[in-house]
Amino acid sequence: MTKKRFNKTEASILKSLNEAVRWSSGEKVPSVKAYQVTVPAELDVKAIRTRLGMSQIEFANSFGFSASTLRNWEQGSRKPETTARILLTIIEHAPAIVQRVLNEQGVHT
C-alpha cells in the first residue's frame, strides 16, 4: 500500500482537523485559540431602541422581533433569552450591519 502525498493545502487542512480533534478531546493544543463569549445578563432594550431613534414598531420590524415581545422586554415583564441578548448587543453596536444582513437574506423588507 502506498502512502498518499498531500499538497500544501491538503496537508494544512488535515493538520487543522487533527488539532481540532485533539482539542475537542481535552488536549491542550498550542495552535488552537479558544474564546469565551460573555453575554450581558441585563440589557436596557428601550435605551438601545431610543438611541437608534426608532419607535417600538420600527425597531421590531427592522430587526425581526414582534412588537409585543419588545414591549414585554421594555416593561420588564420578560427578559430576552441569551440569543436575543446577543443579537441586541450586536444591534446596539452595529445596527446597519444587522439590517443589511437581514435584507440580503430576505428576512424582512
Side-chain angles (χ1 to χ4, degrees):
M1 178 184 274
T2 60
K3 191 171 187 177
K4 179 175 177 6
R5 294 183 53 89
F6 297 104
N7 67 35
K8 280 176 100 173
T9 302
E10 292 169 332
S12 176
I13 292 170
L14 186 59
K15 178 181 180 239
S16 296
L17 287 171
N18 285 326
E19 289 172 344
V21 169
R22 290 177 23 226
W23 180 80
S24 69
S25 299
E27 184 179 333
K28 293 217 181 247
V29 181
S31 59
V32 175
K33 292 182 176 51
Y35 300 93
Q36 182 172 347
V37 175
T38 303
V39 180
E42 301 289 328
L43 283 174
D44 187 341
V45 178
K46 184 176 182 178
I48 295 168
R49 178 182 59 76
T50 302
R51 216 173 1 261
L52 294 175
M54 297 176 136
S55 70
Q56 286 182 335
I57 297 297
E58 289 171 324
F59 189 88
N61 289 340
S62 292
F63 299 109
F65 303 114
S66 75
S68 62
T69 297
L70 185 60
R71 273 192 299 279
N72 287 330
W73 290 342
E74 290 188 4
Q75 293 169 357
S77 58
R78 304 246 350 188
K79 178 181 167 183
E81 297 288 332
T82 303
T83 52
R85 290 194 316 272
I86 291 168
L87 178 57
L88 288 162
T89 301
I90 296 168
I91 291 168
E92 181 176 22
H93 296 281
I97 293 172
V98 175
Q99 287 176 320
R100 189 188 82 222
V101 170
L102 292 173
N103 286 330
E104 287 173 359
Q105 297 303 310
V107 175
H108 71 297
T109 56

